[in-house]
């Protein structure tokens, strides 16, 4: 039979003609299947190439499966390879047809040529068809004992593939043990590496439910195996070296001599051409020396050069990843890098995410010796075409100013920025000058002189405007025209869209009033009037609050609004040191690139705001905002009843004012706005909100039958006090209660019960647990008194039982409270 | 166009579509080296307009996939471009014509997500590159096997994994090429802010047998940090700063190094911008500062016109000035003439409402100097041992501009 006519040009892979192409191919393949003509192999080869092109482009060529298999009986290696590729791709969707290929693959596993044996074995393992597993075992076992190392490497990985298809089959055939033996004895480094790779994966997965696997894993991290691998490290391929180094980084050496031996052995790895190896070595070094402070410092010195080279010499992708690691190190030990600051200068061609990292590093390493240079460089960037980077660099200058003692020069620079008359530069600088003044009030004279010249009309950015207004209020005594500037701002109240600016304006006018009352009186009146009419709740409430304060006593008002302030010494850090340490432990991993510990982005479940904590002292960590402990009890209120809550004033002098509305009782002559919350209106309103959210379905707001005892709707208790009280008081009442079926059903997460109890004026302070067991700590306060009730409630949803322990300041009321609590609990789900 | 290989568990092809969407979306901004998609973490690598993408769901050392991809890209272009003549770069069509090779190479390089063989020499033993010879053979005899080696890599058994035991070279020569990249940035006032050199020693060896080479420098103390090809022995370097190695066959990177804090730059640009009532006068001068002693070639000065500029009128007394579509202004100078200094001048019209130009463009310069390494590194000599006949040895050096910029 003559080879088929060459196919028309339309068959080019870039323009797939779809179905007809496939049938055409099928037909031609069938023609060729039995052919033994001299040119048949070449024709087949062309056809196979076309099939694979189609497959790659995305056309489903699986209908040709049986024809392909028929054609595969050949001695031509190229054809075999292409056929393996095809089979590997389609076997999974055609398990029945895949059976056809087993025969020739098994035959190829006994071929003369080790390349073919290896390829066949790899393809066989890559079929990944469940019911063909039995055919795998024998070739694999043979493969592991093959005299060609190529076949053994393939077989070692093949075992892993088998494990993923059927773990039991893999264990039944005793492959892990065989792999281990091979790993410890094989002369070929690649075989050893592949065995190690497979074993690590198999045992790590098994370790969860098998002690034996866990022990094996332990053994892998043990001295003998680590030493065995380390001694051969130079034989391994670069990728295998990464694997071994990763293993070594988990090994804990017994004494310092061992550490030094290992480091000496590995030192030359730092000069490896492969960046991955270098980084893995660095990780080993850092981990080994964790406990030896001085050596740890030396390690930093040693790894500096390789890292800096990697950043500069690699591809852009590589250099970003390395830069992230460098960033981490710089943040940990800024002093060590302080002489290398020039390396972190931004290049024009750097992408902006790289520039951002570099700016952060420059900020961190600035110290007495290099501040001048760094700030000069940063000032260059302020003229950058890239606006975000220009802003970022101004911010960096400000941060350096906040870190340093020698602020003089920097303040000058910042003030120069103000003279550049670029909107975004001015805006950014104003915010910084404000922060700077909070830390170094002594600079106020220089700054105020310049800030005073800035026209408030030219600034649009709310944050900057707020900063300017803050300064106007704070330094109104030094700025001649402060009252008038404020007055004109108040006149334009309507045009001010940002509530933040309006809030600041209110406060600034107040402050100005205390200092220069006659000049400001008019502005204050206008501001308060505008504030009261404002439709933003926060602004309205703050205006109301100020109004009442002033009515009550001007002196008290001044004490509350404008108390003498202490200079801020340290601004809060955004990322806790605990998290930084965690990231450091995960050096050389994606965590560093993301700047988050891995559990934050790999565990999907980790998002819950509450974690179970037996010990109440851990509460702050469980919550999402550690700096807000005092508010933690109110957090749910704030979330749910945002509209109803009076503003808890977040002014810098926060403390004494933060539940202002209850401290100062409402005078009757003030317009009685509906939003003014008194405790009596809270409960129905809260139900209404819940109704809107579809949480509690209820026709009429049926309150739990109010017994003699009534509870304060919004008690405040911080976790510390709670814990103290819990420790001091004795259990006044201990009961067991049953939950309704509906209640159990709706208790899928602690939050639902917390909400429900809140509607009954019982607040939750901590909760946690996994189904079916939940644990809650509640508290409530008797209306009109200071006596608290504390409750520990353990709910088991499986048995629908709740165990309640109540402690009370006032033991006499505890029974009444207990019944109230129980009825609230039994109502859960039905209301 | 997409293509890929699945390892371990199944990765849906739609991830490519997702990435493509993101990529187009962010094209004007910057691309991150790790992208988070809803299901996977992606490592894109872009070479010659082809995107290589790796996906993972697990935590892993980030450099591993990145290094692997770049290695794969290198090897692929080595494979596919060698056959189609010198100077060819990898492109879509070449890949399309060679799907099978791509699959075969990838198959050997990675198994179940774990990199396997990545040494080009070894790979070529297993998967033959589609070179001219095999093409001709194929055409003439009609029955050669163009892409599969008949035997296993011998090096698998040899003590030096990067060198097969039976290289088939008939020539007897070795070339050493010093390639340096000069990074510098200069402030508006002419102050050199920083200047450093990244260099590479590229070796092309085609020596028979089992040669043992020693390369020494006249001034090795210059080097700040070095990284070696696995073939370099560390001891001799530590003790006497010489590179002793058994070379792989063909082209490879023997060493990369960095020299920091250079004081001299070969070429300077003096930009000047003065703006006044909606117009901005721009002028720039280019000249040689510390004459390197060799001609400076293919000089190109580029700068980005700020977005607030509506039109620009630029002329030069030497070379050509083009304004590209993305508002990049490219001034191709070539060589600096002997009799005059190349200068560029012109007028930029600002957006209505703007009085003066607030932003300062950065001038980037590209050039090439053949025959000299700007860091001053010099090769002393190259000894070849273990060889029957003395081979031909060739040395070259070359410096080119990397991030070479002048701020205005």
């Amino acid at each position: 039979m003559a080879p088929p006519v060459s196919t028309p040009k339309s068959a080019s892979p870039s323009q797939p003609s779809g179905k007809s192409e496939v049938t055409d191919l099928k037909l031609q393949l069938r023609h060729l299947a039995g052919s033994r003509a001299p040119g048949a192999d070449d024709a087949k080869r062309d056809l196979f190439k076309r099939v694979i092109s189609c497959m790659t482009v995305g056309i489903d060529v699986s209908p040709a499966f049986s024809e392909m298999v028929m054609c595969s009986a050949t001695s031509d290696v190229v054809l075999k390879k292409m056929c393996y590729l095809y089979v590997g791709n389609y076997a999974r969707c055609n398990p029945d047809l895949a059976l056809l290929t087993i025969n020739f693959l098994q035959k190829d596993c006994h071929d003369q040529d080790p390349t073919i044996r290896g390829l066949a074995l790899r393809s066989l393992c890559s079929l990944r068809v469940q019911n063909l597993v039995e055919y795998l075992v024998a070739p694999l076992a043979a493969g592991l004992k093959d005299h060609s190392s190529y076949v053994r490497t393939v077989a070692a990985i093949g075992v892993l593939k088998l494990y993923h298809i059927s773990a039991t089959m893999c264990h039944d055939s005793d492959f892990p043990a065989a792999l281990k033996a091979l790993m410890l004895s094989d002369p070929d480094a690649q075989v050893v590496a592949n065995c190690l790779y497979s074993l690590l994966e198999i045992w790590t997965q098994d370790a969860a439910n098998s002690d034996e696997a866990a022990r094996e894993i332990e053994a892998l991290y043990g001295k003998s195996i680590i030493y065995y691998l380390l001694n051969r490290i130079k034989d391994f391929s670069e990728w295998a070296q990464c694997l071994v180094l990763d293993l070594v980084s988990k090994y804990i050496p017994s004494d310092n001599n061992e550490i030094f031996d290992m480091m000496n052995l590995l030192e030359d790895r730092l000069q490896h051409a492969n960046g991955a190896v270098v980084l893995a070595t660095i990780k080993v070094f850092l981990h080994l020396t964790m406990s030896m402070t001085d050596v740890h410092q030396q390690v930093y010195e040693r790894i500096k050069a390789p890292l800096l080279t990697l950043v500069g010499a690699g591809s852009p992708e590589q250099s970003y990843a390395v830069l992230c690691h460098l960033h981490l190190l710089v943040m940990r030990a800024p002093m060590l890098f302080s002489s290398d600051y020039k390396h972190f200068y931004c290049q024009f061609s750097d992408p902006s995410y790289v520039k951002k990292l570099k700016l952060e590093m420059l900020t961190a390493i600035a110290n007495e010796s290099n501040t001048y240079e760094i700030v000069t460089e940063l000032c260059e960037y302020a003229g950058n075409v890239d606006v975000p980077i220009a802003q970022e660099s101004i911010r960096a200058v400000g941060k350096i100013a906040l870190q340093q003692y020698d602020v003089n020069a920097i303040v000058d620079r910042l003030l120069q920025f103000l003279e550049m008359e670029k909107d975004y530069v001015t805006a950014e600088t104003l915010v910084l000058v404000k922060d700077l003044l909070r830390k170094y009030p002594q600079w106020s004279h220089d700054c105020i002189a310049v800030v005073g010249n800035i026209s408030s009309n030219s600034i649009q950015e709310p944050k900057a405007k707020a900063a300017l207004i803050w300064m106007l209020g704070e330094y109104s005594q030094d700025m001649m025209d402060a009252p008038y500037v404020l007055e004109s701002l108040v006149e334009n109240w309507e045009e001010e869209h940002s509530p933040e600016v309006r809030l600041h304006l209110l406060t600034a006018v107040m402050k100005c009033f205390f200092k220069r009352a006659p000049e400001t009186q008019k502005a204050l009146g206008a501001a308060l009037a505008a504030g009261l009419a404002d439709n933003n709740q926060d602004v309205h409430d703050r205006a109301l609050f100020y109004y009442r304060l002033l009515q009550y006593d001007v002196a008290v008002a001044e004490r509350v609004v404008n108390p003498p302030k202490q200079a801020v010494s340290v601004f809060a850090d955004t990322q806790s040191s605990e998290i930084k340490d965690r990231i450091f432990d995960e050096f050389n991993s994606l965590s560093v690139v993301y700047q988050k510990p891995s559990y934050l982005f790999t565990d999907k479940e980790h998002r819950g705001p509450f974690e179970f904590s037996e010990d109440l002292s851990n509460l702050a960590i469980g919550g999402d905002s550690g700096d807000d402990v005092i508010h933690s009890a109110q957090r749910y209120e704030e979330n749910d009843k945002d509209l109803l809550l009076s503003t808890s004033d977040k002014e810098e002098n926060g403390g004494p004012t933060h539940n202002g509305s209850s401290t100062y009782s409402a005078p009757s002559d003030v317009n009685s706005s509906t939003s003014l919350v008194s405790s009596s209106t809270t409960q129905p309103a809260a139900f209404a909100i819940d109704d809107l959210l579809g949480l509690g379905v209820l026709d009429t707001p049926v309150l739990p039958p109010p017994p003699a005892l009534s509870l304060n709707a919004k008690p405040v208790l911080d976790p510390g006090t709670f814990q103290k009280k819990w420790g001091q008081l004795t259990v006044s009442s201990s009961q067991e209660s049953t939950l309704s079926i509906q209640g159990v059903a709706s208790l899928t997460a602690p939050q639902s019960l917390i909400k429900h109890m809140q509607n009954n004026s019982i607040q939750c302070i901590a909760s946690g647990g996994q189904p079916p067991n939940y644990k809650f700590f509640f508290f409530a306060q008797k209306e009109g008194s200071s006596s608290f009730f504390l409750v520990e409630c353990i709910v088991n949803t499986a048995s629908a039982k709740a165990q309640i322990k109540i402690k009370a300041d006032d033991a006499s009321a505890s029974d009444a409270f207990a019944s109230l609590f129980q009825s609230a609990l039994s109502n859960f789900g039905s209301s | 166009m997409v293509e890929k290989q699945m390892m371990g568990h199944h990765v849906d092809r739609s991830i490519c579509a997702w990435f493509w969407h993101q990529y187009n979306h962010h094209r004007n901004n910057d691309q991150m080296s790790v992208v988070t998609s809803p299901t996977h973490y992606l490592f894109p690598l872009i070479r010659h307009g082809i995107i290589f993408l790796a996906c993972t769901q697990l935590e892993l050392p980030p450099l591993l996939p990145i290094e692997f991809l770049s290695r794969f890209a290198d090897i692929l272009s080595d494979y596919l471009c060698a056959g189609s003549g010198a100077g060819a770069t990898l492109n879509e069509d070449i890949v399309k014509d060679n799907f099978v090779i791509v699959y075969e190479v990838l198959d050997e390089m990675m198994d179940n997500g774990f990199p396997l063989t990545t040494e080009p020499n070894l790979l070529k033993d297993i998967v033959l590159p589609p070179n001219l010879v095999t093409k001709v053979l194929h055409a003439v005899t009609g029955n050669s096997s163009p892409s599969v080696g008949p035997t296993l890599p011998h090096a698998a058994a040899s003590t030096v994994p990067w060198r097969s035991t039976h290289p088939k070279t008939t020539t007897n020569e070795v070339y050493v090429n010093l390639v340096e990249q000069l990074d510098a940035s200069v402030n508006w006032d002419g102050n050199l802010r920083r200047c450093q050199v990244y260099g590479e020693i590229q070796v092309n060896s085609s020596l028979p047998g089992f040669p043992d080479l020693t390369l020494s420098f006249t001034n090795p103390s210059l080097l700040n940090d070095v990284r070696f090809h696995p073939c370099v022995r560390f001891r001799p370097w530590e003790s006497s700063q010489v590179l002793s190695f058994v070379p792989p066959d063909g082209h490879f990177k023997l060493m990369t190094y960095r020299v920091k804090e250079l004081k001299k730059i070969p070429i300077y640009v003096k930009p000047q911008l003065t703006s006044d009532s909606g117009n901005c006068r721009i002028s720039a001068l280019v000249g040689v500062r510390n004459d390197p002693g060799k001609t400076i070639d293919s000089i190109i000065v580029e700068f980005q016109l700020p977005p607030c500029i509506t039109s620009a009128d630029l002329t030069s007394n030497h070379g050509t000035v083009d304004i590209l579509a993305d508002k990049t202004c490219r001034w191709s100078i070539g060589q600096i003439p002997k009799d005059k200094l190349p200068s560029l001048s012109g007028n930029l019209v600002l957006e209505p409402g703007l009085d003066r130009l607030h932003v300062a463009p950065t001038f980037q310069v590209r050039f090439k100097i053949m025959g000299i390494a700007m860091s001053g590194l010099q090769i002393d000599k190259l000894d070849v041992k273990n060889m029957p006949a003395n081979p031909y040895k060739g040395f070259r050096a070359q410096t080119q501009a990397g991030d070479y910029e002048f701020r205005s």
Side-chain angles (χ1 to χ4, degrees), chain B residues 10 17 34 98 117 152 155 166 203 237 280 289 291 316 320 339 342 371 375:
Chain B
H10 188 78
V34 184
N98 292 290
T117 318
L152 251 196
H166 305 289
V203 177
W237 175 259
C280 178
R289 179 155 293 162
D291 194 352
S316 69
T320 52
D339 49 341
S375 66

Side-chain angles (χ1 to χ4, degrees), chain A residues 11-26:
Chain A
S12 99
S14 52
Q15 287 143 358
S17 51
K19 255 212 159 77
S20 62
E21 168 94 18
V22 180
T23 28
D24 180 40
L25 281 170
K26 255 175 91 162

